[in-house]
Structures are given as structure tokens and as C-alpha cells.
Amino acid sequence: RHAEKLPVLRDYSAFSIAVVLSVVTQILIAAAGWVLLATLGPIDFTSSLLVVPLAAATAFLPITVGGAGAREAVYIALCGTLFGMPEHDAVVASLALWFAHLIVGLAGGIAQLAARKAETPA
């Protein structure tokens, strides 16, 4: 009954491109997280593929504001328990990646506003 309400997939190539872009984006985010984590502790790239996406998923928890607190808890739990990283370093990595996301979002917002302003007739 619920499946009948879902839209029908009409363009498989566009869907495939969207899936590939999504995977590439997640890998790049994990790479950015790895750069931050590797400067603070002995964490390899494949480990960041575990930590970073799980921490990012906390943004969707309805009990937090953008994953605040839960995101840091994931970093502390996984980096501390699995990789022996001190808690304060795990929190620094979490906040640094969150701040990087904010900067990228701000840059995208400014670019979008500039593009809209350029399209509007004077």
C-alpha cells in the first residue's frame, strides 16, 4: 500500500548519476574527516569511513539540534574506544568538521545569492 505512493523511476541514468554523486560526496566528507582525525591520532582512511558517516547521521536525530552533542558522542565513543584517541581530541575533530561544513554551506549560500542577484533585472 505504501509502495504505491512512491514515485515511479523514469530516468535510470539520472538516478545512477545521483547515486554516484552521493557516494562520491560521502567519500569526500569522510576524507576531510580523516584529514582532521589523522592529525590527532592514528586513524586510517577506512576507519574514517566508519566514524564520519555515523557521526553525520546524528544530524537527523529528532532529539538534537543538528546532531549537536550526539555527533561528539559518536566521535568520543568510536575514536576513543576503537582507536584510543583522547576524548578532547575526538571532540576537536568533531567540531572542526562541523565548522568546515558550516563554511562550505555559507560559501554555497553566498554563491546562490550572488547568482540570483545577477539574474534579477535592475
Side-chain angles (χ1 to χ4, degrees):
R1 181 176 69 166
H2 294 291
E4 293 173 354
K5 296 178 183 179
L6 293 174
V8 176
L9 183 58
R10 298 187 195 285
D11 189 350
Y12 288 96
S13 63
F15 179 73
S16 299
I17 290 169
V19 168
V20 168
L21 288 174
S22 177
V23 170
V24 168
T25 301
Q26 292 305 314
I27 290 171
L28 290 174
I29 291 170
W34 172 68
V35 168
L36 293 169
L37 289 168
T39 60
L40 299 170
I43 294 181
D44 59 7
F45 181 69
T46 55
S47 299
S48 71
L49 289 174
L50 169 70
V51 175
V52 175
L54 284 176
T58 62
F60 301 103
L61 293 174
I63 57 171
T64 67
V65 177
R71 176 184 53 247
E72 287 73 31
V74 169
Y75 272 86
I76 289 169
L78 292 178
C79 293
T81 304
L82 297 177
F83 311 116
M85 181 180 281
E87 284 186 14
H88 61 276
D89 286 345
V91 171
V92 166
S94 173
L95 293 176
L97 189 58
W98 172 73
F99 187 66
H101 280 112
L102 288 178
I103 291 171
V104 169
L106 179 63
I110 291 170
Q112 188 175 28
L113 288 173
R116 283 188 187 172
K117 189 173 184 179
E119 291 175 1
T120 336

